[in-house]
Amino acid sequence: EDKVVQSPLSLVVHEGDTVTLNCSYEVTNFRSLLWYKQEKKAPTFLFMLTSSGIEKKSGRLSSILDKKELFSILNITATQTGDSAIYLCAVLQGAQKLVFGQGTRLTINP
Amino acid sequence: DTAVSQTPKYLVTQMGNDKSIKCEQNLGHDTMYWYKQDSKKFLKIMFSYNNKELIINETVPNRFSPKSPDKAHLNLHINSLELGDSAVYFCASSPGLAGESTDTQYFGPGTRLTVL
């Protein structure tokens, strides 16, 4: 069965800390891996990773994919309270089907 | 100028009723989706349409019927609502079927359905 597993499920840190969120997957017909941030409403797109070893960066956020070991990490440096959210990892399969992980709930305390 | 919009945002109804949720995207995308997010925040795909044609149909009760009058709209009709249907339903869209640049899915704001 296709599955995407995220860890940790919940993380509480102080403002300014650096966090690493993990996503491992076992899916058929892998096309790409996507990271989303979900605050109160819709998931908003962060990154899409298709190739191994190429880091994608956006401000304090960065992500990398390892297609041999079947995992990805999302790093957030110098965290801010606005980074508090649920971070979702999803793997895109052949016919545009996204398989989501259960999410990591990140809480940044001032 | 909302990219993916859904109506209504909240829907409270009795068991056994029939209800519809509407979704519209103004991004010119070819593919649209419906996802269900349960109380544990787990998102799961239900349906996908490409240019009004059904391409993904997960194991969803046939009380759920998507309808795509044109490629900018994908509505979800639910018959004989049950308590377990209570969830947040998200519509999403993406540019197309092939190629890295077309893979990203953009989500609507969600519709919180509560069945009493």
Side-chain angles (χ1 to χ4, degrees):
Chain A
E1 187 186 332
D2 297 323
K3 60 180 178 180
V4 177
V5 178
Q6 292 184 244
S7 63
L9 292 181
S10 180
L11 185 57
V12 181
V13 299
H14 290 291
E15 224 173 357
D17 288 351
T18 293
V19 297
T20 298
L21 310 184
N22 304 294
C23 174
S24 64
Y25 61 91
E26 289 178 37
V27 301
T28 53
N29 293 324
F30 175 92
R31 284 180 59 172
S32 54
L33 185 143
L34 291 85
W35 284 96
Y36 287 86
K37 177 183 181 182
Q38 186 174 23
E39 297 173 87
K40 290 183 181 172
K41 291 189 175 178
T44 52
F45 172 75
L46 294 175
F47 296 110
M48 182 171 66
L49 304 152
T50 306
S51 303
S52 256
I54 299 173
E55 186 184 49
K56 292 221 172 175
K57 222 170 149 54
S58 175
R60 296 176 294 102
L61 277 66
S62 63
S63 184
I64 197 160
L65 172 67
D66 186 329
K67 288 167 76 173
K68 186 180 173 189
E69 300 297 329
L70 307 182
F71 77 91
S72 173
I73 58 171
L74 175 69
N75 276 325
I76 310 175
T77 58
T79 52
Q80 302 170 358
T81 53
D83 295 328
S84 295
I86 295 173
Y87 289 83
L88 296 167
C89 171
V91 171
L92 185 70
Q93 293 184 292
Q96 294 286 93
K97 176 183 167 185
L98 269 179
V99 179
F100 279 87
Q102 68 275 59
T104 294
R105 183 180 292 275
L106 177 64
T107 303
I108 311 296
N109 288 328
Chain B
D1 57 346
T2 307
V4 183
S5 59
Q6 295 178 227
T7 53
K9 288 190 177 160
Y10 300 94
L11 186 53
V12 181
T13 188
Q14 300 282 342
M15 261 175 59
N17 284 349
D18 302 339
K19 289 293 176 187
S20 291
I21 307 172
K22 294 186 177 180
C23 178
E24 177 181 1
Q25 53 94 5
N26 62 7
L27 296 165
H29 288 170
D30 287 338
T31 310
M32 295 183 72
Y33 313 80
W34 277 107
Y35 288 85
K36 180 180 179 181
Q37 189 172 44
D38 61 24
S39 57
K40 294 181 181 176
K41 297 292 186 183
F42 192 63
L43 261 167
K44 195 164 183 186
I45 192 165
M46 299 171 70
F47 300 103
S48 168
Y49 268 72
N50 176 261
N51 275 319
K52 304 195 297 173
E53 190 177 325
L54 181 67
I55 56 171
I56 295 173
N57 184 352
E58 289 295 291
T59 309
V60 175
N62 57 15
R63 298 180 294 105
F64 290 79
S65 53
K67 285 187 172 54
S68 183
D70 55 61
K71 75 173 195 177
H73 296 84
L74 181 62
N75 303 324
L76 184 65
H77 189 74
I78 316 169
N79 289 328
S80 304
L81 278 156
E82 299 177 358
L83 294 176
D85 298 333
S86 295
V88 180
Y89 291 84
F90 286 100
C91 177
S93 74
S94 67
L97 277 178
E100 178 174 328
S101 63
T102 65
D103 281 350
T104 305
Q105 294 183 20
Y106 298 91
F107 284 78
T111 295
R112 183 175 292 279
L113 171 65
T114 304
V115 182
L116 303 174

